[in-house]
């Protein structure tokens, strides 16, 4: 989507010399565009996903890494391969000018700019200005009234006040399925895929029927009544999932028919026609693939599970994710958490890039 927007803005007057290469094209069309972009005698402007770094032309002189802080340059399936490092090596080898651009650059890039290792073309922002109302909700509750639902009283009140008829509302859940894992309370073992031994994710249809799905090999299986290891009845599902929030919403608001955006409902990677006309949309990170779609009110159910992932760049990912969701929101954003004292979440909601950067550099040192 961003490539389409870029091409529309940049190709005026040079339409015959602009090429855009992405998986949106069929393999045949991709190859035709690639060959023409490689062989045309006239200077060209090439827009594309990171794979275009391997396109060979002797006259290429400038390489721009747009959205330089995006995690999509990093491919785990390629053995932690990072296209940004590839771009550095290619630019160095071919004596090309390398430009890094983004609203939130990588922490390493900001550090290099401050150290004078790379030239700063525009002043680095210290605060991302916004007129949004930002609310942080503590999901812990109290000892007398612990919060058992993923929908806090404050969120429910905000949803009622938003008036579903007149507002566009996004409910953001960063996990697919109904719940992340299922455990037997007697033997303590997690129910795993028999083929690849990863925890099975519980999924629920709109009719309430549940089944297990392995997110690694995509194998489906029925939900057993008893534990497959000790035959106990005491199976309990845990964790947050998009489908669980959908069912909770429908219990609270029976007349509501929210649209759900995740890989399970996309057909041929296309959203259903008129999908974004739904007043309430439940979505995973896929919503960030549609930059034109804006919401009056955004509720982030929880990002707490991200803190458990052993990745030293996770704080950077969380800051960027919240910032991107703020960029899709017009009036109010609400974030639920059990870590309300965490300074990262407060800095992210406030858009305080300077505070986040200083804390992150100290942590990395």
């Amino acid at each position: 989507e961003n490539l389409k927007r870029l091409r529309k803005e940049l190709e005026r007057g040079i339409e015959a010399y602009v090429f855009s290469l992405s998986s949106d094209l069929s393999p045949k069309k991709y190859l035709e565009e690639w060959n023409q972009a490689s062989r045309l005698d006239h200077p060209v402007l090439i827009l594309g996903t990171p794979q275009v770094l391997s396109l060979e032309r002797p006259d290429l002189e400038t390489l721009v890494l747009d959205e330089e802080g995006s995690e999509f340059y990093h491919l785990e399936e390629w053995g932690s391969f990072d296209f940004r490092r590839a771009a550095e090596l290619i630019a160095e080898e071919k004596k090309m000018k390398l430009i890094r651009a983004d609203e939130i650059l990588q922490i390493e890039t900001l550090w290099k700019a401050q150290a004078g290792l790379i030239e700063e073309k525009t002043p680095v922002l210290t605060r991302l200005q916004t007129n949004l109302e930002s609310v942080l909700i503590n999901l812990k509750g109290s000892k007398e009234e612990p919060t058992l639902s993923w929908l806090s009283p404050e969120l429910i009140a905000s949803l009622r006040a938003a008036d579903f008829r007149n507002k566009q509302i996004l409910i953001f859940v960063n996990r697919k399925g109904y719940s992340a894992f299922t455990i037997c309370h007697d033997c303590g073992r997690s129910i795993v895929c028999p083929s690849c031994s990863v925890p099975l994710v519980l999924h629920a249809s709109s009719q309430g029927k549940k089944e297990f799905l392995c997110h690694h090999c995509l194998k489906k299986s029925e939900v057993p009544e008893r534990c497959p290891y000790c035959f106990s009845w005491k199976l309990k599902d845990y964790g947050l999932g998009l489908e669980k929030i959908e069912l909770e919403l429908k219990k609270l608001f029976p007349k509501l028919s929210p649209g759900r955006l995740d890989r399970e409902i996309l057909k041929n990677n296309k959203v259903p026609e008129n999908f974004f006309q739904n007043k309430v949309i439940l979505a995973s990170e896929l919503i960030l693939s549609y930059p034109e779609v804006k919401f009056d009110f955004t509720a982030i159910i929880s990002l707490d599970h991200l803190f458990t992932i052993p990745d030293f760049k996770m704080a950077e990912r969380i800051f960027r994710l919240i910032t991107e969701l703020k960029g899709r929101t017009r009036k109010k954003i609400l974030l639920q958490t059990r870590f309300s004292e965490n300074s990262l979440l407060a800095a992210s909601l406030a858009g305080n890039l300077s505070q986040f950067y200083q804390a992150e550099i100290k942590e990395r040192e």
Side-chain angles (χ1 to χ4, degrees):
E1 293 300 315
N2 282 335
L3 282 174
K4 291 175 185 174
R5 295 172 70 192
L6 274 173
R7 179 164 189 162
K8 188 176 180 181
E9 290 180 26
L10 299 175
E11 71 175 357
R12 294 169 191 163
I14 55 169
E15 289 86 348
Y17 311 115
V18 178
F19 300 91
S20 183
L21 296 159
S22 74
S23 56
D24 213 31
L25 302 175
S26 68
K28 183 179 178 181
K29 181 64 177 174
Y30 195 105
L31 187 59
E32 289 175 1
E33 290 281 295
W34 181 283
N35 286 333
Q36 193 174 359
S38 303
R39 298 168 185 167
L40 193 68
D41 289 337
H42 195 282
V44 294
L45 169 63
I46 300 165
L47 309 170
T49 48
Q51 286 78 5
V52 300
L53 289 171
S54 56
L55 191 144
E56 186 64 46
R57 276 185 66 107
D59 62 343
L60 290 178
E61 58 183 34
T62 304
L63 175 58
V64 181
L65 282 177
D66 198 20
E67 297 189 7
E68 186 259 4
S70 171
E71 64 180 289
F72 294 113
Y73 283 106
H74 186 262
L75 295 183
E76 285 289 351
E77 60 267 31
W78 284 25
S80 299
F81 184 83
D82 195 318
F83 277 110
R84 288 167 295 203
R85 180 59 182 146
E88 290 175 6
L89 294 169
I90 290 169
E92 184 180 345
E93 176 69 23
K94 296 184 178 181
K95 305 295 188 291
M96 297 168 69
K97 179 189 292 184
L98 177 63
I99 299 174
R100 307 160 191 266
D102 207 338
E103 184 179 34
I104 306 174
L105 293 156
Q106 287 188 99
I107 293 293
E108 296 96 310
T109 302
L110 292 172
W111 183 85
K112 287 176 182 177
Q114 288 202 355
L117 299 175
I118 55 178
E119 183 183 356
E120 203 175 298
K121 282 291 184 184
T122 58
V124 174
L125 295 173
T126 57
R127 182 177 287 272
L128 306 170
Q129 297 296 333
T130 177
N131 295 320
L132 283 180
E133 178 187 355
S134 301
V135 181
L136 191 66
I137 300 296
N138 189 347
L139 268 181
K140 286 181 184 176
S142 63
K143 290 183 179 179
E144 295 76 23
E145 293 186 58
T147 305
L148 300 177
S149 170
W150 284 102
L151 303 179
S152 65
E154 294 89 345
L155 172 56
I156 295 170
S158 294
L159 289 172
R160 294 189 193 281
D163 186 350
F164 297 124
R165 293 168 299 172
N166 300 321
K167 298 287 192 299
Q168 289 289 124
I169 298 171
L170 170 65
I171 310 292
F172 181 82
V173 184
N174 204 28
R175 275 189 167 179
K176 297 187 298 180
Y178 182 81
S179 60
F181 54 94
T182 302
I183 289 178
C184 173
H185 273 209
D186 275 339
C187 69
R189 297 179 71 176
S190 177
I191 309 301
V192 299
C193 175
S195 301
C196 42
S197 300
V198 300
L200 288 169
V201 177
L202 192 62
H203 283 255
S205 66
S206 56
Q207 293 77 33
K209 182 182 177 182
K210 295 179 181 178
E211 65 179 358
F212 279 133
L213 174 65
C214 174
H215 283 191
H216 184 71
C217 70
L218 304 182
K219 183 178 180 180
K220 294 182 179 180
S221 57
E222 292 185 358
V223 179
E225 292 184 353
R226 292 172 177 254
C227 172
Y229 310 111
C230 70
F231 304 105
S232 168
W233 298 93
K234 297 181 181 178
L235 293 176
K236 176 67 176 174
D237 59 87
Y238 291 93
L240 175 64
L242 200 59
E243 294 163 7
K244 182 178 284 187
I245 301 304
E246 182 180 22
L247 292 176
E248 281 198 35
L249 269 177
K250 287 180 177 178
K251 286 179 184 177
L252 286 166
F253 306 100
K255 294 182 180 179
L256 185 65
S257 298
R260 197 181 93 218
L261 182 66
D262 64 11
R263 292 289 182 198
E264 306 301 319
I265 67 161
L266 286 185
K267 305 296 182 184
N268 301 319
N269 289 329
K270 301 291 184 183
V271 293
E273 191 175 354
N274 301 323
F275 177 83
F276 290 115
Q277 292 181 11
N278 285 294
K279 293 299 180 183
V280 179
I281 289 178
L282 288 113
S284 62
E285 277 188 82
L286 268 181
I287 194 65
L288 302 178
S289 299
Y290 303 91
E292 299 287 353
V293 181
K294 305 286 184 181
F295 299 90
D296 296 293
F297 172 56
T298 295
I300 304 173
I301 298 300
S302 178
L303 298 176
D304 292 354
H305 65 281
L306 293 177
F307 287 99
T308 67
I309 298 174
D311 181 352
F312 82 96
K313 284 195 167 190
M314 188 49 64
E316 193 174 344
R317 180 183 171 190
I318 292 170
F319 189 94
R320 184 181 182 90
L321 180 56
I322 293 174
T323 302
E324 289 188 334
L325 288 169
K326 285 170 61 181
R328 302 291 195 279
T329 308
R330 299 188 187 97
K331 296 179 180 178
K332 180 178 179 180
I333 187 165
L334 181 150
L335 170 60
Q336 298 184 145
T337 180
R338 286 184 166 83
F339 305 136
S340 57
E341 67 284 354
N342 191 297
S343 60
L344 165 63
L345 299 178
S348 302
L349 283 176
N352 194 334
L353 183 56
S354 178
Q355 178 188 334
F356 166 66
Y357 172 77
Q358 296 299 333
E360 188 67 5
I361 285 295
K362 184 178 179 182
E363 180 72 20
R364 292 193 188 188
E365 285 177 349

